[in-house]
Amino acid sequence: MMKKHRTIKSATACFLLAVITAAPLLCLLPGRAYAASSSEIQKQIDALKKEKEEISAQIQEVQNQFKENEDEIQNILEQKNVIDQQVQLLTTQITNITDQISAYNILIADKQEELDTAEDRYAQLSEDNKVRVRAMEEDGEVSYWEVVFKANSFSDLLDRLSMVEEIAASDQRRIQELSDAKNAVGAAQDVLAEEKSALESTKSELDQTEQELDAKQAEAVALLQELLEKADDLEELEQDFEEQEAQFLEEIAQKEQEYSEAKQREWEAYMATYTPPTTAPSNEGASSTGTTAASSSWLVPCSYTSITSPFGYRTSPTAGASTYHQGVDLDTGTGWPVVASRAGIVAIAGWSNSAGNYVQIDHQDGFRSIYMHLSSIGVSTGQIVSAGQYIGATGSTGVSTGDHLHFGISLNGVYVNPCSYVNL
């Protein structure tokens, strides 16, 4: 985990070093210090956008790592909760066994007192019996000689012998009972000692398990702390990248403003030397001829045979086509040349599902012209074109039922009837 943590910081340091190293180079790029061309500024914008995309990718990577780190934290927390519960249960078990061992110590001590008492009584009874027999023999009262020689009769002899045996048997019974009681107490004490020993063994095993769980608990806490620190680092790293991304966005916005200003300068320079044509260009395959515009220098964009769909409301000619026609459809053959109706800057030269290949020209005075369904495009976005300059060829790309040119004009973003400006 620490290795991965260091890898993140190392990669981050390398990336930040690259950005810092590149920063002076950006300062050397053409900017406001002199009138950079629009193409130079566009290259700067492209470079800034590429670096911004790299920063965005880094942010996404950091966010992915942050999510993975959160998942790891959750996983470690769950593991730690299990370990905490196990430690709590083990602690309860160890406390219970310790209490049992204490109780066994008390029981064993009680049994020892009983054993000591039984042994004392046994020893005392044995000594009393010996003393009594010895005293009887010494006093001559109950000696075997007295029993034999002082008997008055054989019957008296038997009585005397029976009395001696009964006394001796009674003493022996008492001695045996005390011996049995002593042995029982000793056996009970041995059982208690064995049970205590088993409990102590179990407690020793639980103590070992508790130590292992304590080690796991400490490891989980350390790993959790590391993951939390990593989360802080990732959050700080993400913030740094976001700040860089915001800085790139500001620079891109600035460069786009410079690009617009450069385009305006280039357009003004172009228009300063521009002389509009007086006649429309000659187009191949046309039955009609090009003429001058009905308004300021608008040219017929291509040769055509007829207008198949005028400007305004209409019945949709095919699925996907509009019912309000925002231009005019000029019937043509395939590949007939299409020219710019007026001078301007190519705003769009590309593709759309409905228009197919199309070109849109910004005439820098609120007017824009659009040329749709081209079979090919002859200009590129950002290019300055003059009136009558070739921009593409007619075709039937996009939502179209046959070869034709959709020609439209907009004024301040609102489509107007091309016939009001071009003599069609």
Side-chain angles (χ1 to χ4, degrees):
M1 179 61 65
M2 286 299 291
K3 183 177 180 182
K4 182 178 180 183
H5 189 51
R6 287 195 296 270
T7 301
I8 293 172
K9 287 190 173 181
S10 177
T12 303
C14 291
F15 185 81
L16 291 176
L17 178 60
V19 173
I20 293 171
T21 305
L25 297 179
L26 293 177
C27 295
L28 297 177
L29 292 175
R32 293 185 177 276
Y34 71 96
S37 68
S38 60
S39 60
E40 290 175 323
I41 296 175
Q42 184 62 55
K43 290 178 182 178
Q44 296 175 37
I45 291 174
D46 292 342
L48 288 169
K49 285 183 176 179
K50 183 177 179 181
E51 293 191 57
K52 183 262 180 189
E53 289 174 359
E54 292 175 355
I55 289 289
S56 298
Q58 290 284 344
I59 291 174
Q60 185 59 51
E61 176 62 23
V62 170
Q63 289 174 344
N64 292 340
Q65 292 185 33
F66 196 88
K67 180 63 172 62
E68 292 176 4
N69 195 62
E70 282 185 333
D71 293 341
E72 288 186 59
I73 290 175
Q74 184 61 36
N75 189 25
I76 293 299
L77 280 174
E78 292 174 358
Q79 294 181 25
K80 183 179 178 297
N81 288 337
V82 172
I83 294 173
D84 291 343
Q85 293 176 16
Q86 290 177 327
V87 169
Q88 186 176 0
L89 290 173
L90 271 175
T91 302
T92 302
Q93 284 183 289
I94 291 173
T95 301
N96 180 270
I97 290 177
T98 302
D99 292 342
Q100 290 187 56
I101 291 174
S102 298
Y104 271 103
N105 286 332
I106 295 172
L107 291 174
I108 290 172
D110 290 343
K111 288 298 180 183
Q112 186 62 46
E113 290 181 5
E114 292 180 25
L115 182 60
D116 292 342
T117 301
E119 287 178 343
D120 291 342
R121 289 184 62 195
Y122 175 80
Q124 186 63 43
L125 184 59
S126 297
E127 184 62 29
D128 290 346
N129 181 62
K130 291 176 183 178
V131 169
R132 183 168 54 255
V133 171
R134 191 164 49 246
M136 289 171 61
E137 289 178 348
E138 289 174 356
D139 292 342
E141 295 178 358
V142 200
S143 66
Y144 285 102
W145 293 107
E146 183 181 6
V147 170
V148 172
F149 294 106
K150 289 189 178 183
N152 296 326
S153 62
F154 183 72
S155 172
D156 184 33
L157 175 62
L158 294 176
D159 290 339
R160 286 176 178 272
L161 289 173
S162 176
M163 179 187 66
V164 171
E165 290 176 355
E166 184 176 348
I167 291 171
S170 176
D171 285 344
Q172 288 299 321
R173 283 195 303 274
R174 292 179 64 193
I175 291 171
Q176 185 61 46
E177 288 173 358
L178 287 175
S179 177
D180 292 343
K182 182 186 71 172
N183 292 335
V185 172
Q189 190 179 42
D190 291 341
V191 170
L192 289 173
E194 290 178 2
E195 292 178 352
K196 175 189 173 185
S197 177
L199 283 173
E200 288 175 341
S201 177
T202 300
K203 181 178 181 297
S204 177
E205 293 175 1
L206 291 176
D207 287 339
Q208 179 64 30
T209 303
E210 186 179 37
Q211 291 176 6
E212 294 173 359
L213 286 175
D214 286 342
K216 289 183 180 180
Q217 192 178 45
E219 182 181 352
V221 170
L223 184 56
L224 188 61
Q225 181 63 33
E226 181 181 353
L227 290 172
L228 291 173
E229 291 175 359
K230 178 182 174 183
D232 291 339
D233 290 343
L234 289 171
E235 187 174 0
E236 182 178 350
L237 182 59
E238 182 181 7
Q239 184 176 356
D240 290 341
F241 281 143
E242 287 176 347
E243 289 175 358
Q244 292 179 47
E245 184 180 40
Q247 182 178 354
F248 277 118
L249 288 173
E250 290 179 4
E251 292 184 31
I252 290 170
Q254 176 65 31
K255 289 298 177 183
E256 287 179 341
Q257 177 64 30
E258 293 178 16
Y259 176 82
S260 297
E261 293 173 358
K263 275 294 184 182
Q264 184 65 33
R265 288 195 303 271
E266 291 167 3
W267 171 252
E268 291 172 354
Y270 172 78
M271 291 303 294
T273 59
Y274 173 69
T275 302
T278 57
T279 59
S282 175
N283 297 322
E284 296 180 2
S287 60
S288 61
T289 58
T291 62
T292 57
S295 181
S296 175
S297 64
W298 286 91
L299 303 181
V300 177
C302 69
S303 297
Y304 65 97
T305 58
S306 64
I307 297 177
T308 56
S309 182
F311 181 86
Y313 290 102
R314 67 173 181 175
T315 301
S316 177
T318 185
S322 65
T323 56
Y324 185 81
H325 201 212
Q326 295 178 327
V328 293
D329 286 348
L330 306 178
D331 189 17
T332 70
T334 304
W336 292 6
V338 177
V339 299
S341 185
R342 281 182 64 199
I345 299 174
V346 177
I348 302 173
W351 168 272
S352 81
N353 291 334
S354 59
N357 291 317
Y358 76 104
V359 172
Q360 185 182 99
I361 300 175
D362 184 354
H363 301 293
Q364 302 294 297
D365 57 358
F367 281 98
R368 288 195 176 203
S369 57
I370 188 166
Y371 313 79
M372 298 183 182
H373 310 301
L374 304 175
S375 59
S376 63
I377 297 175
V379 290
S380 59
T381 302
Q383 180 179 340
I384 294 177
V385 294
S386 60
Q389 182 175 333
Y390 176 83
I391 62 172
T394 59
S396 186
T397 57
V399 179
S400 172
T401 56
D403 292 313
H404 71 285
L405 174 68
H406 172 99
F407 174 59
I409 296 176
S410 67
L411 176 59
N412 297 324
V414 179
Y415 279 102
V416 293
N417 189 343
C419 294
S420 299
Y421 300 91
V422 184
N423 188 15
L424 296 171

